[in-house]
Amino acid sequence: MGGDPYVSGAVGERPEASWARRDGTETPGPYGDRALLTSAMTRGYDAVPDRERDRLLRYLEAVVAARPAPVHTTVAFNAVYFGYDLGGDGYGGSPLRLDDFPVITFGERAPVLPVGAMVCVATGSDPLYAEIVYREGAHPEVGALGDVPAWVSGAPAGAEGPGKPGNGAAPRRRELLVPDLHAFGPALSLSPAQLHRLRTRRRWINGDGHVVVDVCYPSPEAARRNDLTAYVDHLLTTAREQLLSPFVPVSLAELVGGTHDDDLRAGLLGLLDTVRGALNSSDMLRTWGHYAVTRTSLADGWGDTGPLGGDDLRSLAAAVEHAATPPRRRYGLTSPVTVYTAVGPRLRGFPGATELLRGVGYATAVCRANVALADVVQRDSDQGLFENGSRITLDDAFEGGGVWRSHHPGDAETPGDPLAPVGRGWTSTTCAPSEPEPEPVDLPLSDDASLGPSELLRTDANEIVWRSPLRLAHLIDGWFPLHPDVARELRRSQGRRAGPRLELDHPGGALDGIEAVQVVTAELGDDTGRLTSVTWPRDFFPGLMLELRWPRGGMLIRVATTRLEEPVQVGDRVIGHCFDSRVLTREDAPGSDRHGDTAAGLGPRQLVMRTVRRCGLLTLDGHALLDRSVLPSAVYGRLPARSQAAALESAVAELLAERLLEPALGSRDAWGQPHFPACDGEPTIPLIGYRPARRRVIRPWGGAEPGGGGLLGVQFVPGHLRRLRPGCSPSEVQRVAFREHCRRLGKADGWELPDGYTFVTEHTRGH
């Protein structure tokens, strides 16, 4: 082990795999000799050895220094995963398939496009390829100088006015997207004259080179997802072909050892956590939310005497500080005053700022202004309370580039973290003291496609076998989805409706004759289908894993469960069959059974348990962690009456004392998103956690400690692409290895290595 795998990898010289930094050290590149992303990184930042962290950090620092806009965590991930070239070509030097990018049109409806999405902007002539590097809310009621109606600050997507959250199942929100139109290098960028014409016409992009779209979210839950989760969803759906491309430096499928959605999702979240941790650990960088900038650029901004320089930043801070200060009166008392200011529109009011706010310069100016305001608040106030009596806090981190709240008198309010956006503007317009006590809301089931996906186990000439967990909706309404392959074949032979026989095998469980063999209905579409009129056995529960077999050409479907070697207890339920922990946590919560799903009639203890399991951050093993401070509003949909809040707090104390819930510590970033484990530099917050089951960890004889790095000195290197010098070509051995790599990814096309690259097979380093 530890031999050089590159000697036979190419014909010709070794490639230039890194770029020199100012201090003389070398910065590794994504297509260099050693892959920047490693398997350890899929488990999160804390699991990564120091040497791997350092190599990744050196590259990311170079990316942040080279990019013209603040670098979001997802954009930093793109750079290392899709191969951003620091020599000037950006992504243009990597063999990405541009046809895989979604197309967006200015002023029209669009799917969710998180920061990091690579898109094609429709222009009517030449395609405009870009990477979304910044995103914010563009609510039409935000004034030209940043004045914001109270109800807009912190309002949920789809809100229609004060106290009107909207009733749509698919809420819409107007958003401003800042594309980097030069991310794909000079060859795929329009000339300055072409861009000027597009900005002038304002048909495809606006006058600043930005795209304003009405984003349609599939559900209210989707609109509340944080940036990283939204980007993972995007990569696993809209950008799936791009994610699983064999032309990336090192494939995610190689890193996690498969293409199952659960493994890919967990690996992506781990990689994003690793990238975020690396950015936060840098002494050269400063972060605002998920955006990273160099400290040098911030210092240059403060020292600049021109538009949006130090003088304008100080003026902005003073304006926010004194926005709510009432005029001096000789007699009488003044009433409380609250003012909300959006940073983005406010910057446009400074003389000479127009040109600087075009293109990605807008993202730079907004992040720089927010960092300046945060520094002033932390330096010159006591938890946001200034000497003039005003309290300044960040109230909404998304709308208008960030909405800051100025309130006077500030000493009448309960102090808290001034940089944790809690949406007091929206809350103040929705919770009046005279309103009746709210009823607990019916928390919807998760619509996350990654929760309980169908997994194809085998397909051959004789039968199709797949596996999928039972969901609460299946139990309530007596149905179950068919695998698309089965649905298509039945549709061709039987039409849109058929009556197959269903045979259930439930070893160790009780089945009566009616349940064991059933004649059900198959409702068949072109690519989808489901079985209806199913009578599920009494001891079937949400999360129970079902294995289904369909002999080709027949009208029989066999369904079987699998016994566990040892039963486990989850809450009050003793389980003896294989199950999906995540589905069980979400859908077997109090108030949910085959007869319905409602919070009506539940006591405080059950409401707490139901809310933690339905709303908490869900881990792969079924744990759920919830920010303790948001529990009351999550239970009731708004702030409850004082007596209701006290009852919930008492219930939490009881559940913690009985170890039915567990305390934990997380952190909250500047955008209001909670994290677990806590991130360095972020204020800590209390969490309450639900643990579904305690399982033994069996340590194999001679193995490494759990969470360890394996054998000391040995590093596994996954198969990856490597860029070659001009004139060099890969060996036939490496061409064959790349074809096999593509087969493992399930790639039906693109079998040949792209020009200018070779493939390094997986190997180990060390002794």
Side-chain angles (χ1 to χ4, degrees):
M1 291 188 290
D4 191 342
Y6 310 111
V7 174
S8 62
V11 179
E13 298 181 63
R14 294 276 296 272
E16 184 66 38
S18 56
W19 296 270
R21 296 204 310 178
R22 294 178 183 176
D23 59 6
T25 61
E26 298 296 316
T27 299
Y31 286 106
D33 283 354
R34 304 177 96 183
L36 281 177
L37 294 180
T38 65
S39 297
M41 294 179 183
T42 64
R43 299 192 293 273
Y45 182 74
D46 292 338
V48 182
D50 290 342
R51 181 177 298 179
E52 295 178 14
R53 286 183 182 178
D54 182 65
R55 294 184 67 251
L56 177 65
L57 175 59
R58 283 190 287 130
Y59 171 72
L60 292 179
E61 286 176 339
V63 169
V64 176
R67 297 294 294 257
V71 174
H72 193 278
T73 300
T74 58
V75 175
F77 165 84
N78 284 352
V80 67
Y81 188 78
F82 294 115
Y84 187 86
D85 176 46
L86 294 172
D89 285 335
Y91 298 111
S94 65
L96 287 170
R97 284 185 48 178
L98 303 179
D99 291 341
D100 292 338
F101 296 177
V103 178
I104 57 174
T105 303
F106 178 66
E108 295 188 3
R109 297 181 187 177
V112 181
L113 291 172
V115 178
M118 295 181 179
V119 300
C120 176
V121 181
T123 65
S125 54
D126 295 326
L128 193 59
Y129 296 106
E131 180 184 31
I132 304 300
V133 296
Y134 177 83
R135 164 177 165 260
E136 68 176 35
H139 200 286
E141 291 202 28
V142 176
L145 295 179
D147 48 309
V148 179
W151 71 271
V152 171
S153 184
E160 300 169 351
K164 299 178 181 178
N167 299 318
R172 299 178 191 171
R173 178 167 59 196
R174 175 152 291 196
E175 297 181 1
L176 180 145
L177 307 177
V178 175
D180 184 349
L181 303 176
H182 302 286
F184 294 88
L188 293 175
S189 299
L190 301 185
S191 68
Q194 289 173 310
L195 286 177
H196 177 72
R197 284 197 297 271
L198 290 178
R199 287 201 304 263
T200 302
R201 292 176 183 175
R202 302 190 179 190
R203 184 177 178 184
W204 313 109
I205 55 179
N206 67 11
D208 293 323
H210 305 153
V211 180
V212 179
V213 291
D214 288 320
V215 176
C216 301
Y217 288 90
S219 68
E221 181 187 28
R224 294 192 296 268
R225 288 176 187 151
N226 63 45
D227 285 0
L228 302 190
T229 304
Y231 190 54
V232 168
D233 292 341
H234 173 78
L235 289 175
L236 290 175
T237 54
T238 305
R240 190 180 185 88
E241 291 293 325
Q242 179 184 334
L243 174 70
L244 296 181
S245 168
F247 301 139
V248 299
V250 55
S251 169
L252 176 65
E254 285 284 297
L255 295 173
V256 302
T259 57
H260 191 281
D261 268 12
D262 282 351
D263 297 332
L264 295 176
R265 177 175 291 273
L268 279 173
L269 289 172
L271 290 176
L272 287 166
D273 180 74
T274 297
V275 170
R276 177 180 171 84
L279 294 174
N280 286 335
S281 71
S282 173
D283 293 331
M284 294 174 53
L285 306 179
R286 177 80 184 275
T287 57
W288 171 253
H290 282 293
Y291 295 91
V293 296
T294 64
R295 294 182 182 272
T296 301
S297 67
L298 290 176
D300 292 344
W302 273 107
D304 188 353
T305 58
L308 302 184
D311 292 340
D312 284 348
L313 292 178
R314 281 184 281 271
S315 175
L316 172 65
V320 172
E321 179 183 347
H322 296 92
T325 305
R328 292 182 177 272
R329 292 188 179 182
R330 188 169 183 178
Y331 303 105
L333 299 176
T334 58
S335 60
V337 177
T338 306
V339 175
Y340 296 87
T341 304
V343 168
R346 180 66 180 81
L347 292 177
R348 300 183 186 279
F350 287 103
T354 301
E355 192 63 33
L356 296 176
L357 295 176
R358 287 179 175 161
V360 298
Y362 178 80
T364 300
V366 167
C367 287
R368 183 180 295 167
N370 277 302
V371 170
L373 287 169
D375 287 345
V376 169
V377 169
Q378 291 180 318
R379 184 188 67 224
D380 299 340
S381 74
D382 178 13
Q383 293 183 290
L385 184 62
F386 285 78
E387 289 186 359
N388 67 357
S390 291
R391 185 177 297 278
I392 312 301
T393 58
L394 177 66
D395 200 59
D396 186 328
F398 180 73
E399 193 63 53
V403 177
W404 290 78
R405 178 180 185 267
S406 309
H407 180 80
H408 191 282
D411 55 5
E413 294 187 327
T414 303
D417 182 2
L419 302 184
V422 294
R424 288 188 176 183
W426 170 254
T427 303
S428 67
T429 62
T430 57
C431 296
S434 59
E435 292 181 350
E437 292 188 356
E439 294 294 325
V441 297
D442 283 335
L443 303 170
L445 293 175
S446 172
D447 65 343
D448 191 342
S450 72
L451 188 62
S454 175
E455 179 184 5
L456 183 64
L457 301 180
R458 186 174 72 256
T459 177
D460 54 33
N462 297 320
E463 64 178 356
I464 296 176
V465 184
W466 75 101
R467 179 171 57 195
S468 184
L470 192 64
R471 303 292 296 270
L472 179 60
H474 306 155
L475 282 169
I476 292 175
D477 296 324
W479 67 281
F480 199 77
L482 288 169
H483 192 275
D485 293 350
V486 177
R488 278 192 292 270
E489 293 199 27
L490 282 175
R491 169 78 171 82
R492 284 196 293 266
S493 62
Q494 302 295 325
R496 292 194 173 273
R497 198 172 183 87
R501 191 169 80 255
L502 193 69
E503 291 186 358
L504 294 180
D505 181 17
H506 186 45
L511 292 179
D512 58 32
I514 298 177
E515 296 167 344
V517 180
Q518 308 177 36
V519 176
V520 298
T521 301
E523 298 176 354
L524 307 169
D526 293 334
D527 293 304
T528 61
R530 65 177 191 167
L531 302 176
T532 61
S533 304
V534 180
T535 302
W536 296 113
R538 289 183 295 276
D539 59 347
F540 275 29
F541 57 91
L544 178 66
M545 290 301 302
L546 304 180
E547 183 176 299
L548 298 95
R549 296 172 180 268
W550 176 65
R552 290 184 183 273
M555 291 295 289
L556 170 65
I557 297 176
R558 295 187 176 95
V559 180
T561 62
T562 304
R563 296 191 69 172
L564 294 170
E565 292 184 4
E566 296 181 5
V568 297
Q569 183 163 353
V570 183
D572 296 331
R573 187 186 293 280
V574 177
I575 300 176
H577 296 79
C578 293
F579 64 98
D580 185 307
S581 297
R582 303 175 80 225
V583 174
L584 187 74
T585 292
R586 280 288 193 251
E587 301 191 355
D588 198 35
S592 305
D593 57 34
R594 64 178 60 228
H595 303 296
D597 181 36
T598 179
L602 297 182
R605 287 168 57 100
Q606 293 173 306
L607 286 174
V608 169
M609 187 65 77
R610 175 181 172 88
T611 304
V612 172
R613 292 175 64 168
R614 281 289 175 86
C615 299
L617 171 68
L618 195 61
T619 65
L620 287 177
D621 57 359
H623 287 60
L625 292 157
L626 183 70
D627 180 351
R628 187 165 178 170
S629 67
V630 305
L631 175 67
S633 58
V635 170
Y636 291 101
R638 54 175 177 163
L639 292 180
R642 185 175 301 176
S643 60
Q644 292 174 315
L648 292 179
E649 191 60 32
S650 176
V652 169
E654 293 176 8
L655 293 169
L656 291 173
E658 297 171 19
R659 296 184 177 272
L660 297 176
L661 292 178
E662 297 181 351
L665 280 180
S667 64
R668 183 185 285 114
D669 61 24
W671 294 72
Q673 298 297 332
H675 299 279
F676 178 83
C679 297
D680 293 339
E682 293 180 358
T684 58
I685 57 173
L687 305 174
I688 44 178
Y690 166 76
R691 180 190 291 272
R694 300 180 184 274
R695 301 183 180 181
R696 291 183 302 159
V697 178
I698 300 175
R699 186 177 303 164
W701 179 84
E705 292 292 322
L711 296 175
L712 185 63
V714 176
Q715 177 190 0
F716 172 77
V717 180
H720 60 278
L721 288 185
R722 175 165 64 87
R723 183 179 283 127
L724 297 170
R725 283 183 180 274
C728 298
S729 60
S731 67
E732 183 59 30
V733 172
Q734 301 313 115
R735 294 182 187 276
V736 173
F738 182 71
R739 295 189 194 105
E740 181 58 32
H741 169 69
C742 291
R743 291 189 184 96
R744 290 198 301 271
L745 296 180
K747 191 71 176 173
D749 55 355
W751 300 109
E752 297 300 325
L753 275 165
D755 292 340
Y757 294 84
T758 188
F759 182 71
V760 180
T761 56
E762 62 183 38
H763 60 280
T764 57
R765 290 181 179 272
H767 304 284

